[in-house]
Amino acid sequence: MGNARRRLVRIGCLAVLLAPACQRLNYEKSFEIDADDVQAVLIDPPRSDQKVSISVSATGSPVDVYVVLEKDKPAAMKRLKDFQKPENTLAAKEKVQSDTLEATVPAKSGFVVLLANAKKTAQVQLKITGK
């Protein structure tokens, strides 16, 4: 009986080690963005490369949506405040009222969803999912 128990423990440990390293992501937030303001939403790094889907719905005014790595956030914020497009984006769409962006985030790299350039105050619903 001891042998069977050890074998079962080994199989359980092996299953844990071989389980996919991906983590599920399910983030939802509603907020208001003022004209010419920049809103940043930081997402923790995935353990392995992760495909993410970013759904944006804006009422009151369309918004621009950019996805950048966390390390690129300061430069992207500066460019947006200077009314320029950020560089090194993982995904980007402009004048979004209701749309979805797809991006692949590298392992162990946090990322940021930036919303900007509303012409007037907008109510924004943001949903980020990943597998």
Side-chain angles (χ1 to χ4, degrees):
M1 192 72 166
N3 248 357
R5 183 171 283 164
R6 271 189 243 137
R7 193 173 311 140
L8 186 59
V9 169
R10 285 184 190 147
I11 291 172
C13 290
L14 187 60
V16 169
L17 290 174
L18 295 178
C22 59
Q23 64 194 70
R24 293 214 177 262
L25 171 62
N26 191 10
Y27 177 90
E28 287 186 55
K29 184 175 182 180
S30 295
F31 52 89
E32 186 174 277
I33 184 169
D34 293 323
D36 296 324
D37 193 16
V38 178
Q39 182 79 30
V41 177
L42 177 63
I43 304 296
D44 292 333
R47 289 185 291 259
S48 61
D49 288 0
Q50 187 172 39
K51 197 167 208 147
V52 295
S53 176
I54 300 104
S55 297
V56 178
S57 177
T59 55
S61 178
V63 295
D64 295 347
V65 185
Y66 302 96
V67 181
V68 298
L69 293 177
E70 183 178 7
K71 69 180 181 74
D72 296 326
K73 179 186 172 193
M77 294 285 288
K78 182 177 181 339
R79 288 187 63 86
L80 285 170
K81 288 182 180 181
D82 292 339
F83 301 101
Q84 298 176 345
K85 295 178 187 178
E87 297 175 330
N88 302 320
T89 59
L90 300 175
K93 285 197 179 175
E94 296 178 350
K95 296 182 173 75
V96 173
Q97 287 189 299
S98 183
D99 211 339
T100 300
L101 293 83
E102 302 284 332
T104 300
V105 179
K108 300 178 184 171
S109 297
F111 68 99
V112 181
V113 177
L114 299 168
L115 299 122
N117 298 328
K119 299 303 177 206
K120 55 185 180 178
T121 301
Q123 298 296 323
V124 177
Q125 289 185 293
L126 177 67
K127 182 173 183 178
I128 306 168
T129 56
K131 297 180 191 171

